Amino acid sequence: MRTAFRIATALLWLGVAHAEGPGPRATGDLGIIVEREHGSLQLIETSGNSILAKISGLGDLSHASAVFSRDERFAYVFGRDGGLTKVDMLERKIVGRVVQSGNSIGGAISQDGSLVAVSNYTPGGVKVFDARTLELVADIPAEFAKGKLSKVVGLVDAPGNRFVFSLWDAGEIWVADLSTPAKPVVDKYLDIGRNPYDGIITPDGRYYIAGLFGDDGLALLDLWQPQNGVKRILPGYGKGEEKLPVYKMPHLEGWAMVGGHAYLPAVGRHEVLVVDMSSWQVVKRIPARGQPVFVVGQPSGRHVWVNFAFPDNQYIQVIDTLDQRIVKTLEPGKGVLHLEFEPRGGEVWVSVRDLDQIHVYDTASYERQSLIESRKPSGIFLTPRAHRIGL
Amino acid sequence: MPALSFFSKILPFLLVLSAGKSLADEARQQELRQLIKHDCGSCHGLTLQGGLGPSLTPERLKPFTPEQLAMTIVHGRPGTAMPPWRPFLSDAEAMWLAQGLKTGELP
């Protein structure tokens, strides 16, 4: 009896040891899921699709996002309430937290990993912190007219320890060079179009592109040739057509770029746009189920997965990039908020808010591989982001 | 004063009575609460403290009458990011939301 018990516990222990691996643990298959209403994170691993830990006390996480330290050990989480929280994924706990503004929207980590920048709505601007200590290093108020601060969106890192971002209220793109962290040098590009709502940088760090809510088209800045200024691309797509109401702003992050084409969400149209990246012309408009929010390329580039704004947020559609048409519609459930591919693209993690679930799908068969309970999940962030420009 | 706060407590009720059946439905009220939190929240913040759209706290909404707010909710503000919610809300429901925002009972 006793021996049997011992053997059982030994086996149990072996089982745990096997799942977790003996000795020190690496972080390459880790990630975090934001539980938006509860101010908590689930620490996950993607080898066995399991939850390793739950970390609470991160404040208001509606619209939260995260970046990772270059060694993939720490996550920096940006909360709506202006909180910047540093989480140690090995120790599975919060190791630093500052509430740095009243209302923030996102952040980025510098090329060398030493600086974390946060973009704020109120007071509008960007604050830059020491990634190690979370001490404030630089403050860049987005003052576009005397005493007037703009909400800041679309903050990304760019090569050369620069940060690029857009001013929603002012219609400007700013490039802040933090080579000397305490003395940021800011280049401003004015009149780029009305109400930029988000921005991305191409994975090579060359182009910064801001989506415009209040104007047709997008604003493009070539960071290799900044002297050429910002130019408007796709200025007239869908001109003369009535725009549909937008119940949630699209996100540009994760844009698929395949075979010289970019796939991006149209605004006010239920379409995914395919854009030739040499001429910056729309080559195809793919009709979709609703207003696209995330248009994310599967890492192999063969497929692009799309989720949608209210009232179509129960769907995901998959586009085949070979013939640029929709080949699959999935219906995970109401409130599909985010999707994140594993780095080699075999599986994709999907948050389904209203079901309080995370679904993990096989990207070839579309079969659901795992179902994980989560409380009002939103963003899903996997550590390989640590090594990609703009993430 | 107690009379007033009593009135503000029963006001949504009165509105419900005048609005007809859909709002008497507890399930629909629950849906609307979810709508405020998550779908309005995507621009106004989960706790309505503001985001891309302004904060919708009772303090900030003081200058507006419930009718004005309901109009904004139903028709949106053309030329801004505030979309019209007409396809998803009846007038009575918009009024219920407006009232709930003004009193702070929502979200």
Side-chain angles (χ1 to χ4, degrees), chain A residues 134-157:
Chain A
L134 299 191
E135 264 166 57
L136 183 69
V137 174
D139 186 4
I140 309 171
E143 185 168 11
F144 63 99
K146 209 169 158 12
K148 280 189 160 170
L149 298 177
S150 170
K151 297 186 175 96
V152 172
V153 299
L155 169 67
V156 300
D157 61 288

Side-chain angles (χ1 to χ4, degrees), chain B residues 25-92:
Chain B
D25 184 348
E26 184 62 35
R28 180 60 182 156
Q29 287 190 16
Q30 207 45 42
E31 272 173 33
L32 292 178
R33 283 180 205 282
Q34 288 293 315
L35 181 85
I36 276 278
K37 202 186 236 167
H38 294 294
D39 299 302
C40 311
S42 80
C43 286
H44 294 282
L46 202 68
T47 53
L48 304 184
Q49 298 297 313
L52 202 59
S55 86
L56 298 178
T57 54
E59 184 57 30
R60 217 188 137 274
L61 295 180
K62 251 193 198 134
F64 302 100
T65 65
E67 288 76 13
Q68 285 171 324
L69 295 176
M71 278 285 278
T72 301
I73 294 170
V74 168
H75 298 290
R77 289 249 172 90
T80 78
M82 174 65 187
W85 292 84
R86 164 91 294 163
F88 314 106
L89 296 173
S90 68
D91 286 335

Side-chain angles (χ1 to χ4, degrees), chain A residues 36-37 60 62-63 80 103 121 151 153 168 194-195 197 213 245-249 310-311 313 353-354 376, chain B residues 34-35 37-39 41-47 49-53 79-81 83-88:
Chain A
R36 66 193 314 221
E37 262 185 71
D60 178 356
S62 54
H63 208 289
R80 207 348 119 53
N103 196 322
Y121 278 168
K151 297 186 175 96
V153 299
W168 161 266
R194 285 202 310 144
N195 291 145
Y197 62 86
F213 181 78
V246 177
Y247 292 98
K248 180 176 173 147
M249 286 292 163
F310 175 92
N313 61 16
R353 181 193 63 208
D354 292 6
K376 299 281 174 285
Chain B
Q34 288 293 315
L35 181 85
K37 202 186 236 167
H38 294 294
D39 299 302
S42 80
C43 286
H44 294 282
L46 202 68
T47 53
Q49 298 297 313
L52 202 59
T80 78
W85 292 84
R86 164 91 294 163
F88 314 106

Side-chain angles (χ1 to χ4, degrees), chain B residues 10-31:
Chain B
I10 63 161
L11 188 57
F13 233 86
L14 294 177
L15 281 163
V16 168
L17 290 180
S18 63
K21 48 187 179 296
S22 76
L23 272 168
D25 184 348
E26 184 62 35
R28 180 60 182 156
Q29 287 190 16
Q30 207 45 42
E31 272 173 33

Side-chain angles (χ1 to χ4, degrees), chain A residues 14-82:
Chain A
L14 267 178
V16 172
H18 178 73
E20 279 284 275
R25 203 203 191 288
T27 54
D29 64 347
L30 296 187
I32 55 174
I33 295 169
V34 173
E35 294 183 309
R36 66 193 314 221
E37 262 185 71
H38 295 87
S40 52
L41 304 176
Q42 288 172 308
L43 179 69
I44 53 168
E45 57 81 29
T46 59
S47 300
N49 294 352
S50 69
I51 301 173
L52 298 178
K54 180 189 171 69
I55 298 160
S56 307
L58 289 91
D60 178 356
L61 292 182
S62 54
H63 208 289
S65 62
V67 297
F68 295 100
S69 62
R70 55 185 293 151
D71 63 3
E72 294 187 355
R73 173 167 181 173
F74 300 102
Y76 299 90
V77 182
F78 311 100
R80 207 348 119 53
D81 58 359

